[in-house]
Amino acid sequence: MRKLSMWGLLALTSAMPVHAGDVTEEQFLAAAGENHAAIRALGGELAQAESERRRAGTLANPRLEFWREEPDAVSTLTNWTVAWTPPLDGRFGLGKQAADASVAAAREELKLGQAEVRREMRRAFAEWSVAHARAAVLSRRLERITKLATQERHRARVGAESGLSARRLGLAEAEARADLREAEAGRARAVAAVRAWHPELAADAVPLLPPLAPPPVEAAVGTSPAVTAAERRSEQAQLAQRLGGRFWGFPTLTAGVQRIEEAGVVRTAPLFAASWSLPLFDRNQATRAEAQVQAEIAAARLAQTRALNRAGIEGGVGAYTSLLTAVEEAAAAAADVERVIDAASAAYGAGEQSLTDLLDALGAAFQARLRELDLKAQALAAHREIEAALGRALTAGGVR
């Protein structure tokens, strides 16, 4: 199956319901149904395989022949015949079986394509929600520092403080504003990517961070569409190899009527004939050699797919489980951010700590929140990779 083109999918988005206010991942993924243009665009290989299966199961047409001879003025010879080659040499059945395997493989590959669409939509939504949350944290940080800088500038004007502290807070304010602008730029890019999937998304839509699902209890490698598709492709190659070994064809059978008219006397008689291609030179040598190599390649791909799929699932589950723990720890650390900020600000206002201590406390507090967001983004990415390896949805919404 050809690798799914992200930009090709983005160009194929169709009209979807408008979402206003808070938007969940499930609502966003609900657009990826069977009628979504990106899903419909994946059916080409399955349609081709089904066409080949229909062609493989269609019998060859009989051939109607007529000829007439007039050797002299009083004699006429007329033949009407029908010739047909019955599919009794074993190749017809093998061809249908190989086509069936190809259809089964194409269906599994279609599931992989649908899973890839879902993964890309989940990635776009996750980047949007994380970028929105990150901008909110940095906006709150700027608000806090701006408030402190304003107070410090006022104190410097009335002579209660030196101008150095005000200038240091001014620099911190400028840095916080630059960080916020950078985050807003990332959010703008994320919104553009989301609107490529959902053009009619409301302007006031606000993404909610997706919840982190529990790790999958059982990762059944054998049920992955990637493995199943590789198994069907290997089966197809083996059947093609057997088909290539059949070089003895069934005879073409001919039946008809011969009419002889001579000197006014008419005689008719049945005609029976058979013709057979003798494989003295062409015995499908090239086809057999190619089919053998293709069967070996398909078997190797199957073994590699199984190994990579198992590694992807096991590694993904392990990474996701570890990241879940890290997110929980980071959330616990960030739970007291506001209290830390309030305490640090109050201590600085009371002269109990220096400006350096205050800025360090503010930086550590907000960094804890940003770190929690970064870890959650990594956990969401790891969960998407598990879904991609399993080839099926582990959360609600979208194509299953």
Side-chain angles (χ1 to χ4, degrees):
M1 179 166 179
R2 290 185 297 272
K3 185 177 180 181
L4 187 65
S5 171
M6 174 60 182
W7 294 110
L9 289 178
L10 295 181
L12 294 170
T13 51
S14 58
M16 296 179 246
V18 175
H19 290 300
D22 293 342
V23 180
T24 65
E25 183 186 57
E26 182 177 353
Q27 290 173 326
F28 183 72
L29 293 176
E34 294 181 356
N35 292 326
H36 193 286
I39 300 299
R40 296 200 309 271
L42 300 174
E45 293 187 5
L46 177 57
Q48 182 179 0
E50 290 176 339
S51 176
E52 292 293 336
R53 171 59 182 86
R54 188 169 186 176
R55 187 176 296 112
T58 302
L59 296 175
N61 291 322
R63 186 175 67 255
L64 176 64
E65 296 182 349
F66 165 79
W67 70 89
R68 180 184 179 90
E69 297 181 8
E70 295 182 2
D72 52 46
V74 297
S75 301
T76 303
L77 174 65
T78 304
N79 287 343
W80 288 90
T81 59
V82 175
W84 185 53
T85 305
L88 301 177
D89 55 9
R91 289 183 287 189
F92 184 72
L94 286 174
K96 289 195 298 181
Q97 292 177 39
D100 286 336
S102 177
V103 170
R107 286 175 179 157
E108 296 301 317
E109 289 164 352
L110 176 60
K111 293 178 184 178
L112 286 177
Q114 292 171 343
E116 180 69 12
V117 171
R118 175 184 168 84
R119 177 168 66 171
E120 291 301 322
M121 291 191 71
R122 288 193 69 197
R123 182 186 62 78
F125 185 85
E127 291 180 354
W128 178 35
S129 61
V130 170
H132 184 85
R134 184 179 184 85
V137 171
L138 292 175
S139 177
R140 177 63 175 157
R141 175 191 172 200
L142 176 61
E143 179 184 340
R144 281 281 191 170
I145 295 178
T146 299
K147 182 179 179 180
L148 289 171
T150 301
Q151 294 174 350
E152 201 67 20
R153 282 192 290 267
H154 175 72
R155 295 176 67 185
R157 282 196 299 269
V158 299
E161 279 289 346
S162 67
L164 179 59
S165 296
R167 286 194 292 273
R168 287 190 62 189
L169 279 170
L171 291 174
E173 180 184 9
E175 182 181 1
R177 182 172 285 106
D179 289 341
L180 176 59
R181 295 293 178 262
E182 184 179 3
E184 288 175 341
R187 180 171 59 182
R189 286 191 293 268
V191 169
V194 164
R195 291 191 184 281
W197 290 102
H198 199 325
E200 298 183 5
L201 192 68
D204 60 346
V206 176
L208 298 179
L209 278 168
L212 294 177
V217 177
E218 181 180 356
V221 179
T223 61
S224 170
V227 175
T228 306
E231 290 173 347
R232 298 291 81 79
R233 290 300 181 194
S234 180
E235 178 185 349
Q236 178 188 1
Q238 292 172 6
L239 289 167
Q241 184 180 13
R242 291 174 55 190
L243 183 59
R246 300 292 181 91
F247 55 85
W248 281 98
F250 198 83
T252 299
L253 305 179
T254 302
V257 176
Q258 185 177 75
R259 183 177 184 274
I260 301 175
E261 183 178 353
E262 187 174 10
V265 178
V266 177
R267 292 174 295 171
T268 59
L271 279 177
F272 299 99
S275 61
W276 202 358
S277 176
L278 298 178
L280 297 179
F281 308 109
D282 183 6
R283 295 189 297 276
N284 287 344
Q285 296 96 325
T287 301
R288 288 204 309 275
E290 180 185 3
Q292 180 179 354
V293 173
Q294 292 296 339
E296 293 172 354
I297 292 174
R301 285 176 178 166
L302 173 58
Q304 184 71 357
T305 300
R306 283 174 174 163
L308 291 177
N309 190 255
R310 183 180 298 277
I313 294 174
E314 293 177 354
V317 171
Y320 182 66
T321 303
S322 177
L323 286 167
L324 277 182
T325 303
V327 170
E328 293 174 356
E329 294 173 349
D336 294 332
V337 163
E338 290 296 331
R339 193 158 38 182
V340 169
I341 293 174
D342 290 338
S345 300
Y348 176 73
E352 297 176 358
Q353 67 176 12
S354 66
L355 179 59
T356 300
D357 293 334
L358 172 62
L359 292 177
D360 288 344
L362 289 176
F366 283 106
Q367 187 60 37
R369 284 189 171 178
L370 294 175
R371 182 58 177 163
E372 179 188 358
L373 281 176
D374 290 341
L375 287 170
K376 190 162 190 178
Q378 293 180 47
L380 290 171
H383 192 269
R384 294 195 299 271
E385 294 305 314
I386 297 174
E387 277 196 347
L390 288 173
R392 64 176 184 273
L394 296 175
T395 60
V399 177
R400 288 186 175 272

